[in-house]
Coordinates of all heavy atoms in Angstrom, one line a residue:
L1 N 0.8 -1.2 0.0 CA 0.0 0.0 0.0 C 0.9 1.2 0.0 O 1.9 1.3 0.6 CB -0.9 0.0 1.2 CG -1.9 -1.1 1.4 CD1 -2.6 -1.0 2.8 CD2 -2.9 -1.1 0.3
A2 N 0.4 2.3 -0.7 CA 1.2 3.5 -0.7 C 1.0 4.1 0.7 O 0.0 4.0 1.4 CB 0.6 4.5 -1.7
A3 N 2.1 4.8 1.2 CA 2.0 5.4 2.5 C 1.0 6.5 2.5 O 0.9 7.3 1.5 CB 3.4 5.9 2.9
P4 N 0.3 6.7 3.6 CA -0.7 7.8 3.7 C -0.1 9.2 3.7 O 1.1 9.4 4.0 CB -1.4 7.5 5.0 CG -0.5 6.8 5.8 CD 0.4 6.0 4.9
T5 N -0.9 10.2 3.4 CA -0.5 11.6 3.5 C -1.5 12.2 4.5 O -2.7 12.0 4.3 CB -0.6 12.3 2.1 OG1 0.5 11.8 1.3 CG2 -0.5 13.8 2.2
T6 N -1.0 13.0 5.4 CA -1.9 13.7 6.4 C -2.1 15.1 5.9 O -1.2 15.6 5.2 CB -1.3 13.6 7.8 OG1 0.0 14.2 7.8 CG2 -1.3 12.2 8.4
L7 N -3.2 15.7 6.4 CA -3.5 17.1 6.0 C -4.0 17.9 7.1 O -4.6 17.3 8.1 CB -4.5 17.1 4.8 CG -5.9 16.5 5.1 CD1 -6.8 17.7 5.5 CD2 -6.4 15.8 3.9
K8 N -3.7 19.2 7.1 CA -4.3 20.1 8.0 C -4.7 21.3 7.2 O -3.9 21.9 6.4 CB -3.2 20.6 9.0 CG -3.7 21.6 10.1 CD -4.8 20.9 11.0 CE -5.2 21.9 12.1 NZ -4.2 22.1 13.1
L9 N -6.0 21.7 7.3 CA -6.6 22.7 6.5 C -7.4 23.7 7.3 O -8.1 23.3 8.2 CB -7.5 22.0 5.4 CG -7.9 22.8 4.2 CD1 -6.7 22.8 3.3 CD2 -9.1 22.1 3.5
T10 N -7.1 25.0 7.1 CA -7.9 26.0 7.8 C -8.5 26.9 6.7 O -7.9 27.2 5.7 CB -7.1 26.8 8.8 OG1 -6.0 27.4 8.1 CG2 -6.5 25.8 9.9
W11 N -9.7 27.5 7.0 CA -10.3 28.4 6.1 C -11.1 29.5 6.8 O -11.5 29.4 7.9 CB -11.1 27.7 5.1 CG -12.4 27.2 5.6 CD1 -13.6 27.8 5.9 CD2 -12.7 25.8 6.1 NE1 -14.5 27.0 6.4 CE2 -14.0 25.7 6.5 CE3 -11.9 24.6 6.1 CZ2 -14.6 24.6 7.0 CZ3 -12.4 23.5 6.6 CH2 -13.8 23.4 7.0
Q12 N -11.3 30.6 6.0 CA -12.1 31.7 6.5 C -12.7 32.4 5.2 O -11.9 32.7 4.3 CB -11.4 32.7 7.3 CG -12.2 33.8 7.9 CD -11.4 34.8 8.7 OE1 -10.4 35.4 8.2 NE2 -11.8 35.0 9.9
W13 N -14.0 32.5 5.1 CA -14.5 33.2 4.0 C -15.7 34.1 4.4 O -16.4 33.8 5.4 CB -14.9 32.3 2.8 CG -16.1 31.4 3.0 CD1 -17.4 31.8 3.1 CD2 -16.1 30.0 3.1 NE1 -18.3 30.7 3.3 CE2 -17.5 29.6 3.2 CE3 -15.2 29.0 3.0 CZ2 -17.9 28.2 3.3 CZ3 -15.5 27.7 3.1 CH2 -16.9 27.3 3.2
D14 N -15.9 35.1 3.6 CA -17.1 36.0 3.7 C -17.6 36.2 2.3 O -17.0 36.9 1.5 CB -16.6 37.3 4.3 CG -17.8 38.3 4.6 OD1 -18.9 38.0 4.1 OD2 -17.6 39.3 5.3
L15 N -18.8 35.6 2.1 CA -19.4 35.7 0.7 C -20.7 36.5 0.8 O -21.6 36.3 -0.1 CB -19.7 34.3 0.2 CG -18.5 33.3 0.2 CD1 -19.0 31.9 -0.2 CD2 -17.4 33.8 -0.6
G16 N -20.8 37.4 1.8 CA -22.1 38.0 2.0 C -22.4 39.2 1.2 O -23.5 39.6 1.0
Q17 N -21.4 39.9 0.6 CA -21.5 41.1 -0.1 C -21.1 40.9 -1.6 O -19.9 40.7 -1.8 CB -20.8 42.3 0.5 CG -21.0 43.6 -0.2 CD -20.2 44.7 0.5 OE1 -19.6 44.5 1.5 NE2 -20.3 45.9 -0.1
S18 N -22.0 41.0 -2.5 CA -21.6 40.8 -3.9 C -20.6 41.8 -4.3 O -20.7 43.0 -4.1 CB -22.9 41.0 -4.8 OG -22.6 40.8 -6.2
G19 N -19.5 41.3 -4.9 CA -18.4 42.2 -5.3 C -17.4 42.4 -4.2 O -16.3 42.9 -4.4
G20 N -17.7 42.0 -3.0 CA -16.8 42.2 -1.8 C -16.5 40.9 -1.2 O -15.9 40.9 -0.1
E21 N -16.7 39.8 -1.8 CA -16.4 38.5 -1.2 C -14.9 38.3 -1.0 O -14.1 38.9 -1.8 CB -17.0 37.3 -2.2 CG -18.4 37.4 -2.4 CD -18.8 38.1 -3.8 OE1 -18.0 38.9 -4.2 OE2 -19.8 37.7 -4.3
R22 N -14.6 37.4 -0.1 CA -13.2 37.1 0.2 C -13.1 35.7 0.7 O -14.0 35.1 1.3 CB -12.6 38.0 1.2 CG -13.2 38.0 2.6 CD -12.6 39.0 3.5 NE -13.3 39.1 4.8 CZ -13.1 38.2 5.8 NH1 -12.3 37.2 5.7 NH2 -13.8 38.4 6.9
C23 N -11.9 35.0 0.5 CA -11.7 33.7 0.9 C -10.2 33.5 1.2 O -9.4 33.9 0.3 CB -12.2 32.6 0.0 SG -12.0 30.9 0.5
H24 N -9.8 32.8 2.3 CA -8.5 32.5 2.5 C -8.4 31.0 3.1 O -9.1 30.7 4.1 CB -7.8 33.4 3.6 CG -6.4 33.1 3.9 ND1 -5.4 33.6 3.1 CD2 -5.8 32.3 4.8 CE1 -4.2 33.2 3.6 NE2 -4.5 32.4 4.6
V25 N -7.7 30.2 2.4 CA -7.6 28.7 2.8 C -6.1 28.4 2.8 O -5.3 28.7 1.9 CB -8.3 27.8 1.8 CG1 -8.2 26.4 2.4 CG2 -9.7 28.2 1.6
E26 N -5.6 27.8 3.9 CA -4.2 27.3 4.0 C -4.2 25.8 4.2 O -5.0 25.3 5.1 CB -3.5 28.0 5.1 CG -3.2 29.5 4.8 CD -2.2 30.1 5.8 OE1 -1.6 29.3 6.5 OE2 -2.2 31.3 5.9
G27 N -3.4 25.1 3.5 CA -3.4 23.6 3.7 C -1.9 23.2 3.8 O -1.0 23.7 3.2
T28 N -1.7 22.2 4.7 CA -0.4 21.6 4.9 C -0.6 20.1 4.7 O -1.4 19.4 5.3 CB 0.2 21.8 6.3 OG1 0.3 23.3 6.5 CG2 1.5 21.2 6.4
F29 N 0.2 19.5 3.8 CA 0.1 18.1 3.5 C 1.5 17.4 3.7 O 2.5 17.9 3.2 CB -0.2 17.9 2.0 CG -1.6 18.4 1.7 CD1 -1.7 19.8 1.4 CD2 -2.7 17.7 1.7 CE1 -3.0 20.3 1.1 CE2 -4.0 18.2 1.4 CZ -4.1 19.5 1.1
T30 N 1.5 16.4 4.6 CA 2.8 15.8 5.0 C 2.8 14.3 4.6 O 1.9 13.5 4.8 CB 2.9 15.8 6.5 OG1 2.8 17.2 6.9 CG2 4.2 15.2 7.0
S31 N 3.9 13.9 3.9 CA 4.1 12.6 3.4 C 5.5 12.1 3.9 O 6.4 12.9 4.0 CB 4.0 12.5 1.9 OG 2.8 13.1 1.4
Q32 N 5.7 10.8 4.0 CA 7.0 10.2 4.4 C 7.9 10.1 3.2 O 7.4 10.0 2.0 CB 6.8 8.9 5.1 CG 6.5 7.7 4.2 CD 6.5 6.4 5.0 OE1 6.0 6.4 6.1 NE2 7.0 5.4 4.4
T33 N 9.2 10.2 3.4 CA 10.2 9.9 2.4 C 11.2 8.8 2.9 O 11.1 8.4 4.0 CB 11.0 11.2 2.0 OG1 11.9 11.5 3.1 CG2 10.1 12.4 1.8
A34 N 12.1 8.4 2.0 CA 13.1 7.4 2.4 C 14.2 8.0 3.3 O 14.9 7.2 3.9 CB 13.7 6.8 1.2
S35 N 14.3 9.3 3.4 CA 15.3 9.9 4.2 C 15.1 9.7 5.7 O 14.0 9.6 6.2 CB 15.4 11.4 3.9 OG 16.3 12.1 4.8
S36 N 16.2 9.6 6.4 CA 16.1 9.5 7.9 C 16.5 10.8 8.6 O 16.7 10.8 9.8 CB 17.0 8.3 8.4 OG 18.3 8.5 8.0
T37 N 16.7 11.9 7.8 CA 17.1 13.2 8.4 C 15.8 13.8 9.0 O 14.8 13.9 8.3 CB 17.6 14.1 7.3 OG1 18.8 13.5 6.7 CG2 18.0 15.4 7.9
P38 N 15.9 14.2 10.3 CA 14.7 14.9 10.9 C 14.3 16.2 10.2 O 15.2 16.8 9.6 CB 15.2 15.1 12.3 CG 16.3 14.2 12.5 CD 17.0 14.1 11.2
P39 N 13.0 16.5 10.2 CA 11.9 15.7 10.8 C 11.6 14.5 9.9 O 11.8 14.5 8.7 CB 10.8 16.7 10.8 CG 11.1 17.7 9.7 CD 12.6 17.8 9.7
V40 N 11.0 13.5 10.6 CA 10.8 12.2 9.9 C 9.3 11.8 10.1 O 8.8 11.9 11.2 CB 11.7 11.1 10.5 CG1 11.3 9.8 9.9 CG2 13.2 11.4 10.3
A41 N 8.7 11.4 9.0 CA 7.3 10.9 9.0 C 7.4 9.4 8.7 O 8.2 8.9 7.8 CB 6.5 11.5 7.9
R42 N 6.7 8.6 9.5 CA 6.7 7.1 9.3 C 5.2 6.7 9.5 O 4.5 7.2 10.3 CB 7.6 6.4 10.3 CG 9.1 6.6 10.1 CD 9.5 6.1 8.8 NE 11.0 6.3 8.5 CZ 11.4 7.2 7.7 NH1 10.6 8.1 7.1 NH2 12.8 7.3 7.5
S43 N 4.9 5.6 8.7 CA 3.5 5.2 8.7 C 3.4 3.7 8.9 O 4.3 2.9 8.6 CB 2.8 5.6 7.4 OG 3.4 5.0 6.3
A44 N 2.2 3.2 9.3 CA 1.8 1.8 9.4 C 0.4 1.7 9.0 O -0.4 2.5 9.4 CB 2.1 1.3 10.8
Q45 N 0.0 0.6 8.4 CA -1.3 0.3 7.9 C -1.7 -1.1 8.1 O -0.9 -2.0 8.0 CB -1.5 0.7 6.4 CG -1.3 2.2 6.1 CD -1.1 2.5 4.7 OE1 0.1 2.4 4.2 NE2 -2.2 2.8 4.0
V46 N -3.0 -1.3 8.3 CA -3.6 -2.6 8.4 C -4.8 -2.6 7.5 O -5.6 -1.7 7.5 CB -4.1 -3.0 9.9 CG1 -5.0 -4.2 9.9 CG2 -2.9 -3.1 10.8
L47 N -4.9 -3.7 6.7 CA -6.0 -3.8 5.7 C -6.3 -5.3 5.5 O -5.5 -6.1 5.1 CB -5.7 -3.2 4.4 CG -6.8 -3.3 3.3 CD1 -8.0 -2.4 3.7 CD2 -6.3 -2.9 2.0
W48 N -7.6 -5.7 5.9 CA -8.1 -7.0 5.5 C -9.6 -7.0 5.2 O -10.3 -6.1 5.8 CB -7.7 -8.1 6.5 CG -8.1 -7.8 7.9 CD1 -7.4 -7.3 8.9 CD2 -9.4 -8.1 8.5 NE1 -8.1 -7.2 10.1 CE2 -9.4 -7.7 9.9 CE3 -10.6 -8.6 8.0 CZ2 -10.4 -7.8 10.8 CZ3 -11.7 -8.8 8.9 CH2 -11.6 -8.4 10.2

């Protein structure tokens, strides 16, 4: 199985005024690599 990717997402929007709408979304996605240099992500999975 491919190693999982974790995510952290935050948002804020104001769509109340036509022509004055705004939106801000920030996302962080973390995946493991083969490197052992910190920081290090490691995963384990069970599937049956």
